Amino acid sequence: MPAPTPHGTRAATPAAGAAADIPGGDHCGVRDASPRPLPDQETLGAAGDLLRALAAPVRIAIVLQLRAGDRCVHELVDALEVAQPLISQHLRVLKSAGVVQGRRQGREVVYRLVDEHLAHIVVDAVTHVEEPGERQRPERTAGARAPATTP
């Protein structure tokens, strides 16, 4: 009879059940012999603030646009088909979170990503959601905008 796993199901092979019995070992098929200590609360808080700044669909789209190169506000308005005041509002959030920087170029402000790591966070999230069979999309919470439908 297969050995029970940490989640109460039966392991398919004796080796899988035995690995679960190793102290500090296998959990859900992932083994990390030396877990790293958690960052301090200030760092965790700052990471949470960053993720909240990236959490709006328009801000995700802005980061994806800036990943391809620097853009001024009117280019973002045209590419995303969003009103200029809304783009400017989202850029303020991203700027205050340290995600983007703006530089004046004549009468316009040109925005760029502060660093490429930020684009990786967004690209990885989008890629994960687009992977078939990886997970079910969570139900939207009350008040959230419904996704656009295509005919």
Side-chain angles (χ1 to χ4, degrees):
M1 178 174 212
T5 65
H7 298 288
T9 59
R10 301 281 175 189
T13 65
D21 296 334
I22 297 171
D26 193 47
H27 178 72
C28 298
V30 177
R31 183 181 177 105
D32 186 357
S34 58
R36 294 176 16 184
L38 287 175
D40 60 43
Q41 289 299 312
E42 186 177 336
T43 300
L44 292 173
D49 291 343
L50 173 63
L51 291 173
R52 276 188 291 283
L54 294 171
V58 172
R59 293 194 287 267
I60 291 170
I62 289 171
V63 170
L64 292 173
Q65 285 291 309
L66 294 178
R67 180 175 176 250
D70 298 358
R71 301 278 190 270
C72 59
V73 174
H74 81 269
E75 290 172 316
L76 293 169
V77 167
D78 292 345
L80 303 178
E81 298 178 345
V82 176
Q84 183 273 324
L86 188 57
I87 291 289
S88 294
Q89 179 184 3
H90 284 293
L91 284 167
R92 274 192 297 279
V93 171
L94 292 171
K95 189 174 179 182
S96 70
V99 175
V100 301
Q101 289 179 332
R103 74 176 188 285
R104 185 151 300 274
Q105 190 172 343
R107 292 178 5 156
E108 297 182 315
V109 177
V110 177
Y111 288 90
R112 69 174 189 85
L113 289 176
V114 169
D115 99 29
E116 193 63 25
H117 289 107
L118 301 166
H120 288 291
I121 293 168
V122 171
V123 169
D124 287 348
V126 170
T127 300
H128 177 74
V129 170
E130 290 177 336
E131 288 174 347
E134 280 299 311
R135 67 178 185 89
Q136 296 287 327
R137 290 183 187 239
E139 292 186 26
R140 293 188 155 284
T141 57
R145 257 184 33 200
T149 57
T150 54

